[in-house]
Amino acid sequence: MTPLAKLFRTTAIKLALIYLAALSLASGAVIVYLSQNTATVLREQIVETVDAEIVGLADRYRIAGIRGLVASVEARSRRPGASLYLVTDFAANQLVGNVEGLDERVLAGESGELQRVSYTPLGGGDKREALVRVFQLSGGFRLLVGRDLQEQQYFRSLLVEAMRFWLLVLAGLGLVTWIYVSRRVLKRIDAMAATGRRIMSGDLSERLPVEGTGDEFDRLAIGLNTMLERIEALMQGLKDVSDNIAHDLKTPLTRMRNRVEEALRQQDADAPARAALEATIEDCDTLIRTFDALLRIARVEAGSSDAVQETFDAGTLIAEVGELYAPVVEDQGGRLELDAGTGMTLCGNRELLVQALVNLIENALKYAQNPDDGGVRVALEGYRDGDTVVLAVRDFGTGIPDADKERVLHRFVRLEKSRNAPGSGLGLSLVSAVARLHGGRLVLADAHPGLRAELRLPAGGASGKRGNGVDERDGRADGRTGG
């Protein structure tokens, strides 16, 4: 996403644009309202002025006749202003006035009707517009009185210029708002988001920045920092508990296993206690693997940040896992099929991803035997899907019912058909935790026949996750029934 697109997706800039648009519409509506009402008031004033002058000139005509009217009109025509006058005889010949270039139909129109006309000032000049009334006097004479509209048009032009200026002011306000939002508000939000990503990657010592201004961002940061301190203390307690479990429980189990092995070596091959000792060793191994798996899942989900992160090609990873497990599958009378694409760059913990694929392959070997031919067929695939790299393990067994696909991702969950098989029900839980640590997810889908388990991870290390600091010793556990 480009920085500009990212900016316009933010709530702050959307609100700023909404306020700017609302203010522009309101300002435009006010200016249009003022313009229309001002034009109405000016028109009414023009009509009142014209009517008053017509009444005065008509009285002058009744008192002094045409000579008096001509003298009065000639005197008024010489005054500076916007008033227009014209007197014509019965043949439409101009007797006196300051108007020329009128259309003949204007003087021939209905008497007393208000008309908008174009005219030329006496002496020449550009065409202008005016509102006039024409009255027919006795003797065939006609009297025209009007008002030039140039002042009104000039006033409208001033309103238009004011509107343009105000729009420029609004654009400037919008620019200032954009600069403020982008440089201050968004900068602080981005800083908080970056800190949040580092915290999610496992660095719980990070804290949101506080500038000390006491604004809403500072209050939010202070509240979240208090919560993070509590979470850090809880996670440290979890780590301490995990270490205590590893030390206080795994160590005695290991010692007990060693003592049982020593006792087993001292027993005869057909001694009655030998079977019991072998079963005890197997139980000890199961408990140790369970502890390893639980510790690994807990540390992965805690996002501890000690493990090494590296950028690598997923195709090479698939080839290495395939080379490692192809003989294992062949020993069980089956085959492992590999199909790796190109351009599958990942950034993450290589050992954890190998462990996740190994868990999925071992699940397929344990629970995906084809009931038709009794053989085992496992497909290990990798391909690029847009911005996602998909690492998939497919088998051709009976699969998992849709209702159980989410449930088997939980710890210690085992389906009825596999309760008698060895395992603790933690394999898929570990795979799902590894996927989340790398910013991806584990998807279980029907393969018709069989199950398709997909690790969908961001290409090129888009997750930005850091390592998890888990012990890289063998912590595998079966997962088909225990996810």
Side-chain angles (χ1 to χ4, degrees):
M1 185 182 298
T2 63
L4 186 60
K6 180 181 178 181
L7 176 65
F8 279 97
R9 289 173 65 91
T10 60
T11 301
I13 198 64
K14 289 179 180 178
L15 289 176
L17 291 175
I18 290 174
Y19 291 150
L20 187 62
L23 185 58
S24 299
L25 291 176
S27 301
V30 169
I31 292 178
V32 170
Y33 175 80
L34 290 176
S35 176
Q36 291 180 345
N37 282 272
T38 302
T40 301
V41 171
L42 291 176
R43 182 184 177 89
E44 291 176 353
Q45 289 180 348
I46 290 174
V47 172
E48 291 177 358
T49 302
V50 169
D51 290 344
E53 291 203 90
I54 287 175
V55 171
L57 292 173
D59 291 341
R60 180 64 176 171
Y61 178 73
R62 285 194 300 270
I63 296 173
I66 189 62
R67 291 182 180 274
L69 176 62
V70 168
S72 181
V73 169
E74 183 176 8
R76 295 187 182 190
S77 299
R78 293 175 180 175
R79 298 174 186 170
S83 297
L84 304 177
Y85 308 95
L86 179 64
V87 177
T88 62
D89 58 14
F90 62 90
N93 296 316
Q94 182 171 335
L95 300 179
V96 68
N98 56 2
V99 178
E100 63 182 8
L102 280 174
D103 191 330
E104 294 181 356
R105 290 174 295 182
V106 174
L107 296 174
E110 292 291 333
S111 179
E113 181 181 358
L114 188 65
Q115 305 178 62
R116 188 183 185 97
V117 301
S118 296
Y119 77 99
T120 302
L122 188 64
D126 297 332
K127 282 280 188 179
R128 296 184 180 182
E129 291 188 343
L131 283 177
V132 302
R133 288 187 190 275
V134 179
F135 282 88
Q136 186 171 357
L137 305 175
S138 58
F141 297 102
R142 288 183 177 272
L143 171 64
L144 179 146
V145 179
R147 192 78 175 177
D148 189 278
L149 298 178
Q150 187 175 16
E151 292 180 354
Q152 185 177 0
Q153 293 171 346
Y154 177 70
F155 179 76
R156 286 185 176 180
S157 67
L158 289 179
L159 289 177
V160 172
E161 290 298 325
M163 181 65 176
R164 292 175 180 173
F165 175 76
W166 179 238
L167 290 177
L168 290 176
V169 171
L170 289 179
L173 291 175
L175 180 61
V176 171
T177 302
W178 177 80
I179 293 175
Y180 176 79
V181 170
S182 62
R183 291 194 175 182
R184 178 163 179 83
V185 178
L186 293 184
K187 183 178 179 181
R188 296 194 65 181
I189 292 175
D190 289 341
M192 289 184 174
T195 304
R197 286 191 294 269
R198 291 193 295 271
I199 292 172
M200 288 188 295
S201 70
D203 189 0
L204 295 180
S205 63
E206 286 281 350
R207 293 294 180 267
L208 298 177
V210 178
E211 294 189 355
T213 59
D215 60 5
E216 59 275 13
F217 287 105
D218 275 359
R219 295 196 299 272
L220 175 63
I222 291 172
L224 291 178
N225 286 341
T226 303
M227 180 184 67
L228 288 171
E229 290 175 0
R230 178 61 175 163
I231 292 175
E232 184 182 15
L234 293 175
M235 296 308 298
Q236 184 62 40
L238 175 62
K239 184 177 182 300
D240 293 341
V241 170
S242 300
D243 292 340
N244 291 334
I245 289 175
H247 182 269
D248 297 338
L249 295 180
K250 282 182 60 181
T251 301
L253 279 173
T254 303
R255 292 174 179 172
M256 182 176 67
R257 185 186 185 284
N258 293 336
R259 286 195 297 268
V260 172
E261 280 187 338
E262 180 65 25
L264 186 61
R265 283 194 295 268
Q266 297 175 4
Q267 293 290 329
D268 296 332
D270 55 351
R274 187 176 185 83
L277 293 174
E278 291 175 347
T280 302
I281 290 177
E282 184 177 348
D283 290 341
C284 288
D285 289 340
T286 300
L287 287 174
I288 291 173
R289 287 196 299 269
T290 300
F291 279 127
D292 284 338
L294 285 172
L295 288 172
R296 176 168 289 225
I297 291 172
R299 291 182 178 180
V300 168
E301 290 182 341
S304 179
S305 59
D306 299 329
V308 176
Q309 290 282 308
E310 57 182 312
T311 300
F312 56 89
D313 181 62
T316 304
L317 183 73
I318 290 176
E320 292 175 356
V321 174
E323 182 180 359
L324 175 66
Y325 264 81
V328 178
V329 178
E330 291 175 359
D331 289 343
Q332 298 190 22
R335 68 181 187 274
L336 178 63
E337 302 173 354
L338 299 181
D339 182 13
T342 59
M344 299 185 299
T345 303
L346 287 175
C347 181
N349 186 281
R350 188 186 185 94
E351 288 76 13
L352 284 178
L353 292 175
V354 169
Q355 183 66 70
L357 291 177
V358 167
N359 275 22
L360 295 177
I361 293 174
E362 289 189 345
N363 287 342
L365 292 176
K366 291 179 182 179
Y367 306 107
Q369 191 172 31
N370 194 320
D372 295 332
D373 56 16
V376 175
R377 180 183 169 196
V378 179
L380 178 57
E381 306 172 4
Y383 60 91
R384 183 77 176 260
D385 183 14
D387 294 332
T388 302
V389 172
V390 181
L391 307 179
V393 175
R394 178 191 174 183
D395 60 57
F396 296 82
T398 57
I400 296 177
D402 291 339
D404 295 323
K405 284 187 173 65
E406 290 294 330
R407 190 167 67 91
V408 296
L409 299 181
H410 300 160
R411 300 180 190 180
F412 299 109
V413 174
R414 307 187 71 190
L415 301 184
E416 291 297 330
K417 65 180 181 180
S418 57
R419 287 195 176 275
N420 295 326
S424 57
L426 295 172
L428 287 182
S429 296
L430 177 58
V431 176
S432 180
V434 170
R436 289 195 301 271
L437 179 70
H438 290 81
R441 59 194 178 101
L442 173 64
V443 178
L444 303 180
D446 291 327
H448 304 292
L451 180 74
R452 181 181 177 86
E454 296 181 348
L455 276 171
R456 305 186 68 88
L457 307 173
S463 67
K465 299 291 184 184
R466 299 172 63 181
N468 53 28
V470 297
D471 186 359
E472 297 303 335
R473 294 172 297 174
D474 183 16
R476 291 175 289 176
D478 89 289
R480 169 59 55 82
T481 58

